[in-house]
Amino acid sequence: MSDSASGCTEQRSLVTEAEVEALVRGICFKTGPPRVLGVELEWHVHELRDPRLPATPARLEAAYAALRTLPLASSLTIEPGGQLELSSAPAASLMECVGSVSADLDAVRATLREADLGISGFGHDPWNPPTRFLREPRYDAMEVYLDRFGPEGRSMMCSSASVQVCIDAGYEEPGPLGYQRRWWLTHQLGAVLLAAFAHSPLAGGRVTGWRSTRQSLWAAMDPGRTTAPELDGDPRGAWARLVLDAPVMCVRADEGPWGVPGAMSFREWIRSDTPPSRADLDYHMTTLFPPVRPRGHLELRMIDAQPGEDGWLVPLAVTTALFEDPEATEVAYRAVKPLAERAGSLRAPRNPLWDAAARSGLADPELREAAAVCFAAAAEALPRLGASTRVLDAVAEFIDRQVARGRCPADDLLDELHGKDLPA
């Protein structure tokens, strides 16, 4: 969702199917050093006095103009509904990432406070209907396209927010850090992360029946661009096939509205009388939204935005530990391997495992058991990765408050809605 699109004037270098496959293989699964990671944080912006009150468009415009003057290390972008996103620069370590993003968040919050605005982390806006803030050709075309599948697309565009952790694709060789094992693990462990960090049980002030309403939106949208590729066999080949066979969302134009074709795959576009360019391929890949997206690194997209000022630290730290520490990776692999049988042959997020994670969170016994093992392994690994006391304490508190009790942040929000005392 954060992929920006500028004007499309360019020299057209047409691509063939073979060239697309070669480009996708080379671009999307880059293996080996350097070892880097990153995080993308999306936030809802609201009146400081009451998080239920969204900021008006005029106040958002003024606030974002002020934010763009800040010397941030992260990239600052705006989502279609006015959500704010910070995308970290690639970091060489967990603590480098934490330090950089924390400093940027401090600056952003201080600037917004001067305008009596604040930010909050919910996977889906609990109270307000989806409202477009940005009026740009990309989002106009996206809205037209997604409306064909139902209202979920507009909610995803305008009401959702996430914590997206970005890790390296891995190494060429087999083993815990090899890219093939890593790719498989992201899709099985991804269901556990989804369940543990689910934080969107409300929409329009009402209970939706999902711990992660945000994930339910993705599962209800266009399956051609939101479903993972087949996990059996070569990840590079499977992803290349998905890119080629995915529907084309829109055709960019230098002026005026962008075209929204009918049911046309990128492969069919290549075979047409007006084939796409390399730039069209690059843009097409930004319109694919599977749970894990390979972009030279692996972008894990299943985690809801988290509550509190430091809530984002926990998914970043836990995910990093489970993929960057070989011992923790092996423990996680063994813990989630039985879950693959529950997923069956259906691809994420449209399988029973992911459905249970989004609907029940850690109230699901199998997901709770796997989460307990994985979070314990992450907590043990974090000191080996140089995690600070702040990070270690945040993870320990989350384990005690949520994982050990079979809860997720959505459960706290539901308890608050129903006037129940929250766990001590």
Side-chain angles (χ1 to χ4, degrees):
M1 281 301 304
S2 63
D3 306 282
S4 61
S6 56
C8 62
T9 301
E10 64 204 21
Q11 287 189 333
R12 294 187 62 79
S13 175
L14 305 184
V15 290
T16 66
E17 290 179 51
E19 288 169 337
V20 168
E21 185 162 350
L23 285 167
V24 170
R25 284 173 171 269
I27 291 170
C28 296
F29 282 91
K30 295 178 181 177
T31 56
R35 307 296 300 165
V36 294
L37 63 106
V39 68
E40 300 174 15
L41 306 177
E42 296 172 342
W43 304 89
H44 300 284
V45 182
H46 53 77
E47 295 293 338
L48 191 60
R49 68 182 185 276
D50 187 347
R52 297 174 185 240
L53 298 177
T56 65
R59 283 169 57 68
L60 283 178
E61 288 280 7
Y64 292 151
L67 291 176
R68 291 187 181 100
T69 68
L70 297 175
L72 302 176
S74 302
S75 171
L76 185 147
T77 53
I78 310 303
E79 295 294 298
Q83 309 97 308
L84 181 152
E85 178 174 315
L86 286 178
S87 301
S88 73
S93 69
L94 170 63
M95 290 315 302
E96 179 183 319
C97 185
V98 168
S100 174
V101 175
S102 295
D104 287 344
L105 274 173
D106 288 344
V108 165
R109 287 193 173 103
T111 299
L112 290 176
R113 276 197 301 269
E114 293 176 1
D116 292 321
L117 296 175
I119 55 175
S120 56
F122 297 97
H124 186 278
D125 188 319
W127 304 292
N128 302 293
T131 304
R132 280 275 300 282
F133 170 69
L134 294 182
R135 293 292 171 182
E136 299 177 359
R138 167 184 170 91
Y139 298 123
D140 291 343
M142 180 180 289
E143 185 174 273
V144 170
Y145 177 88
L146 292 176
D147 277 351
R148 297 171 178 171
F149 300 89
E152 293 85 4
R154 293 193 182 207
S155 292
M156 177 276 293
M157 292 173 63
C158 301
S159 298
S160 68
S162 66
V163 174
Q164 298 179 14
V165 181
C166 301
I167 59 173
D168 278 340
Y171 290 96
E172 285 291 327
E173 63 266 20
L177 300 183
Y179 80 94
Q180 290 181 306
R181 165 84 77 85
R182 205 168 173 86
W183 178 244
W184 182 91
L185 183 59
T186 59
H187 290 85
Q188 310 307 331
L189 181 58
V192 178
L193 298 174
L194 163 61
F197 295 114
H199 187 226
S200 50
L202 306 177
R206 297 183 177 182
V207 177
T208 65
W210 298 86
R211 295 306 202 280
S212 178
T213 299
R214 173 180 168 272
Q215 184 57 54
S216 76
L217 299 176
W218 287 114
M221 286 167 51
D222 173 17
R225 71 185 61 256
T226 59
T227 305
E230 297 288 349
L231 294 184
D232 295 336
D234 173 29
R236 291 182 173 117
W239 180 249
R241 288 191 295 275
L242 185 145
V243 169
L244 281 164
D245 293 331
V248 175
M249 175 178 283
C250 51
V251 178
R252 300 169 303 146
D254 289 327
E255 296 181 1
W258 292 7
V260 182
M264 178 180 71
S265 70
F266 198 82
R267 190 188 303 275
E268 290 169 333
W269 192 8
I270 291 173
R271 296 174 179 178
S272 73
D273 294 333
T274 56
S277 67
R278 164 66 189 276
D280 290 323
L281 169 64
D282 293 341
Y283 179 76
H284 172 66
M285 288 193 289
T286 72
T287 70
L288 305 180
F289 308 118
V292 183
R293 186 163 63 171
R295 308 183 66 189
H297 55 269
L298 302 183
E299 181 184 80
L300 279 67
R301 304 173 53 83
M302 72 291 296
I303 299 171
D304 281 355
Q306 296 296 287
E309 291 198 0
D310 281 352
W312 62 276
L313 287 175
V314 182
L316 172 61
V318 168
T319 305
T320 300
L322 294 176
F323 282 97
E324 298 306 314
D325 182 88
E327 292 181 36
T329 300
E330 193 60 32
V331 171
Y333 175 77
R334 292 196 300 268
V336 303
K337 196 170 183 179
L339 297 178
E341 297 180 8
R342 188 168 172 189
S345 61
L346 299 176
R347 295 175 288 160
R350 293 171 175 82
N351 63 43
L353 176 64
W354 280 68
D355 183 85
R359 190 180 298 277
S360 302
L362 295 188
D364 181 276
E366 290 181 285
L367 286 164
R368 176 181 181 176
E369 181 180 355
V373 174
C374 291
F375 275 70
E380 185 176 316
L382 282 169
R384 297 194 290 266
L385 298 178
S388 66
T389 300
R390 174 192 174 198
V391 171
L392 295 175
D393 288 348
V395 172
E397 194 275 339
F398 188 91
I399 292 173
D400 290 343
R401 180 185 179 88
Q402 307 290 4
V403 179
R405 301 170 187 244
R407 296 172 59 90
C408 59
D411 293 308
D412 290 348
L413 191 56
L414 290 170
D415 283 350
E416 184 179 342
L417 178 71
H418 295 129
K420 296 180 181 179
D421 292 332
L422 299 182

